[in-house]
Amino acid sequence: RLEKPLRDREARGLVVSTLRQALAAVPGATLAGLPAVSVELEDSTKEGLPQSIAISVCLVLCWLTIVFRRVMDVVLALVPLVFAAVFTVAFMVAIGEKFNPINSIAIPLLDGIAVDAGVFLVSVARDARTRGGGRVSLLAELRPTMRAVLLAVATTVTGFLSLTATHTPAIRSLGMVAAVGIFASLIGSMCVLVSWLLK
């Protein structure tokens, strides 16, 4: 028996690896229990996360290519996603938060959610470009879309922020990572993408 529950990741990893070494000589013996499952889940997440991110990015790229059919429009639509990814990783490093099996779910989710604003803004800019008109006309057409994007992102961020009120640390972390990433996509859309579209 352990003297206290294994809530700490490092202690859990140490106990599980020690018990696995002790069981290595026993044929057919396996380690079971919640700590062992947690460690295996973390290990499989570390292996599977790059693959799931690559798949989601490829699917988003394929969809954007089908929709826009222009490389520059696809690149512009990806600006909020790239900004969100960089900002989220920098934020996690700054506060010392680590990826776990639950909060890493936010990364493939961000691939789809963060690109939404870029799709809407680039579509409006494309339509304005085909009709002609200058920068003032484009800004007038972008303004209602920017307001809609702002409200949609604020609603989504609020939904994910509500997860931070739970007592489960992993779910709290998922809510925080997703909310930060989606909020960063809003900044990338409104500040970076809109200024590029206007140029």
Side-chain angles (χ1 to χ4, degrees), residues 158-168 171-173 175-176:
T158 304
F160 277 108
L161 272 178
S162 69
L163 294 176
T164 61
T166 66
H167 296 294
T168 309
I171 294 175
R172 231 183 2 245
S173 176
M176 183 195 62

Side-chain angles (χ1 to χ4, degrees), residues 74-92:
V74 171
V75 170
L76 287 171
L78 288 172
V79 166
L81 172 60
V82 172
F83 190 88
V86 171
F87 186 89
T88 304
V89 171
F91 178 80
M92 289 183 70

Side-chain angles (χ1 to χ4, degrees), residues 57-71:
V57 167
C58 285
L59 290 173
V60 166
L61 278 172
C62 288
W63 179 245
L64 290 176
T65 304
I66 291 168
V67 169
F68 289 127
R69 293 186 214 103
R70 286 188 65 224
V71 174

Side-chain angles (χ1 to χ4, degrees), residues 15-117:
V15 168
V16 169
S17 67
T18 303
L19 290 173
R20 279 184 181 155
Q21 288 172 0
L23 287 174
V26 181
T30 57
L31 190 58
L34 191 56
V37 170
S38 296
V39 169
E40 287 178 19
L41 184 60
E42 284 183 17
D43 292 344
S44 63
T45 300
K46 286 177 188 171
E47 293 170 10
L49 183 62
Q51 181 182 4
S52 65
I53 291 172
I55 290 170
S56 64
V57 167
C58 285
L59 290 173
V60 166
L61 278 172
C62 288
W63 179 245
L64 290 176
T65 304
I66 291 168
V67 169
F68 289 127
R69 293 186 214 103
R70 286 188 65 224
V71 174
M72 193 57 192
D73 288 343
V74 171
V75 170
L76 287 171
L78 288 172
V79 166
L81 172 60
V82 172
F83 190 88
V86 171
F87 186 89
T88 304
V89 171
F91 178 80
M92 289 183 70
V93 169
I95 66 167
E97 183 72 28
K98 293 182 180 176
F99 282 108
N100 62 44
I102 303 298
N103 71 13
S104 59
I105 294 169
I107 304 302
L109 283 175
L110 278 175
D111 292 343
I113 296 171
V115 83
D116 283 350

